[in-house]
Amino acid sequence: MRLCSVCDHEIKGKWCKHCHRFVKSYESNSFIYGQEDNGKHVKMAVQEHAKIRTEAMGNRTTDGAKRKVNKAAVCGIGLSAALTCALPMVPDIIGLFQASADRAEANREFLEGIEFSEEERKYYGDRMKRNTAMLSITPAERILDEDSDVRYYNPEDIKEMGYPCDEKHFELCLTEFEQWLVENRTGDYEMVEDSSIYSNLCSVSGENVRYRFATYRDYRDGSGLAFRVEFDTATEQLHSVYIEVESASADIGLYCGLLKEIYPKTIWTELEFTKALIEAVESGEEYVEFYSSKYAKIAYLKKDGGYSLGYTPGDGSM
């Protein structure tokens, strides 16, 4: 099978769904990875993998100028322009949208024969529009040094812009979560929201540009159980949900119900959830990830007198 030279996950063609970008790949013998008992073969496989991966990734440290030009060539027209957000980018953001005819031609050759799903088209299309829209928004604050450029934005400006950041998102949005909360927890909640310029930013370091738009809401009802939700300031899609429990009590129906709300196709039952949570608690560890799928992860976090359950997107979330 073929593996991504960056994250080592299996890929088809040049597109890696885990890295969310086009990568070089290398051939691997899947039989070797399946034989955990065969130490000799595994050792040989690791050595072979290191050699092949080095060759596949090319001269990343010695050919910086050439690498920068090749990746910038992806700034073409139409859908190809959207791909700029998936690849390392130069600090001059405006320059990303001023592709030359030569770059566009090189990009067309690069994309020849590659097919995109509707999900991928929307994902990169939204980010292309976001990158363009952000050029018209004036940062509320900017910290610039020789190694990085961080631009902070007023949350209200991000809300009006309306396109998602680069964090992983659940499909579940804030209003849907609140509807679930009303249906599963009775009583009145005290709700506190926090969003500032320091959680809505664009960070530029070297060739990497990353946007983060985050707003937080806490829900408390005086029962010793609370929820903290982090969501995208622009789209209100959830980044994460944390259930804070002040005692050693547990409401498995609620915990498992939230998993099913986030990921309806999960096959986990309340019994399986209970068993996994007990094992996490009895391990004595401060942090234990006890559920992991393509779309969601759940971790147990030990706290004084209680604990927290953190629900975050899986590796397959876009």
Side-chain angles (χ1 to χ4, degrees):
M1 61 181 177
R2 298 205 68 79
L3 301 181
C4 170
S5 61
V6 177
C7 70
D8 297 328
H9 283 88
E10 183 178 1
I11 63 173
K12 295 181 180 180
K14 297 180 179 179
W15 171 253
C16 177
K17 291 187 176 180
H18 295 274
C19 297
H20 295 153
R21 60 174 169 171
F22 292 98
V23 297
K24 291 184 178 180
S25 62
Y26 64 92
E27 189 71 31
S28 174
N29 187 341
S30 59
F31 172 78
I32 293 178
Y33 287 93
Q35 304 301 310
E36 297 181 1
D37 298 339
N38 195 331
K40 181 179 179 181
H41 284 179
V42 171
K43 183 176 180 180
M44 291 175 60
V46 171
Q47 293 173 339
E48 180 182 3
H49 156 69
K51 178 182 178 181
I52 296 175
R53 181 171 177 176
T54 301
E55 295 174 351
M57 296 179 73
N59 299 324
R60 298 181 65 182
T61 58
T62 61
D63 196 16
K66 181 178 180 181
R67 176 166 56 89
K68 193 176 297 183
V69 171
N70 287 343
K71 290 187 176 180
V74 182
C75 306
I77 57 175
L79 173 64
S80 59
L83 295 175
T84 56
C85 61
L87 299 171
M89 297 182 284
V90 295
D92 183 4
I93 298 178
I94 296 178
L96 293 174
F97 303 99
Q98 298 174 342
S100 66
D102 290 342
R103 287 178 175 177
E105 178 61 30
N107 188 45
R108 279 193 291 272
E109 293 177 1
F110 181 76
L111 294 174
E112 185 176 356
I114 297 176
E115 296 183 359
F116 294 91
S117 68
E118 289 301 317
E119 182 183 20
E120 290 166 347
R121 287 180 182 274
K122 184 179 187 308
Y123 179 85
Y124 289 110
D126 284 348
R127 279 153 180 75
M128 177 188 69
K129 295 172 184 176
R130 178 203 63 197
N131 292 354
T132 303
M134 290 299 293
L135 299 177
S136 63
I137 300 178
T138 302
E141 185 176 327
R142 184 179 184 185
I143 299 178
L144 179 65
D145 59 35
E146 61 182 29
D147 297 320
S148 64
D149 179 3
V150 183
R151 307 175 189 188
Y152 300 97
Y153 296 91
N154 187 315
E156 294 303 318
D157 292 336
I158 299 301
K159 289 179 183 178
E160 293 180 5
M161 185 266 299
Y163 293 105
C165 68
D166 292 322
E167 297 293 310
K168 291 183 178 179
H169 299 78
F170 287 124
E171 291 186 5
L172 195 70
C173 68
L174 181 65
T175 54
E176 292 170 332
F177 168 78
E178 291 185 330
Q179 180 62 37
W180 173 85
L181 188 60
V182 169
E183 293 173 353
N184 289 271
R185 296 288 293 179
T186 59
D188 296 328
Y189 279 88
E190 177 187 2
M191 189 272 288
V192 178
E193 181 173 303
D194 175 36
S195 187
S196 71
I197 64 172
Y198 299 108
S199 59
N200 294 275
L201 56 97
C202 173
S203 175
V204 181
S205 178
E207 295 181 340
N208 297 311
V209 179
R210 188 166 186 83
Y211 290 94
R212 172 174 168 78
F213 308 143
T215 299
Y216 305 88
R217 275 193 187 180
D218 292 332
Y219 304 83
R220 298 184 181 276
D221 64 358
S223 67
L225 184 147
F227 294 85
R228 159 155 282 209
V229 176
E230 179 189 321
F231 58 93
D232 192 304
T233 305
T235 66
E236 294 193 344
Q237 286 176 280
L238 299 192
H239 290 160
S240 63
V241 181
Y242 284 84
I243 301 179
E244 306 280 349
V245 184
E246 295 180 0
S247 65
S249 62
D251 187 341
I252 300 298
L254 185 73
Y255 306 162
C256 194
L258 179 56
L259 171 60
K260 293 181 182 296
E261 184 71 13
I262 289 172
Y263 179 33
K265 293 183 179 180
T266 181
I267 60 174
W268 258 33
T269 63
E270 292 186 16
L271 181 61
E272 290 170 309
F273 201 111
T274 301
K275 181 180 178 182
L277 181 56
I278 290 175
E279 290 177 353
V281 173
E282 292 182 344
S283 72
E285 298 292 333
E286 298 289 329
Y287 176 94
V288 179
E289 184 179 286
F290 64 89
Y291 177 88
S292 180
S293 72
K294 181 179 179 181
Y295 298 102
K297 295 180 179 180
I298 306 176
Y300 162 84
L301 296 87
K302 183 179 179 180
K303 295 190 174 183
D304 292 339
Y307 59 93
S308 175
L309 297 182
Y311 298 68
T312 55
D315 293 335
S317 301
M318 301 186 77

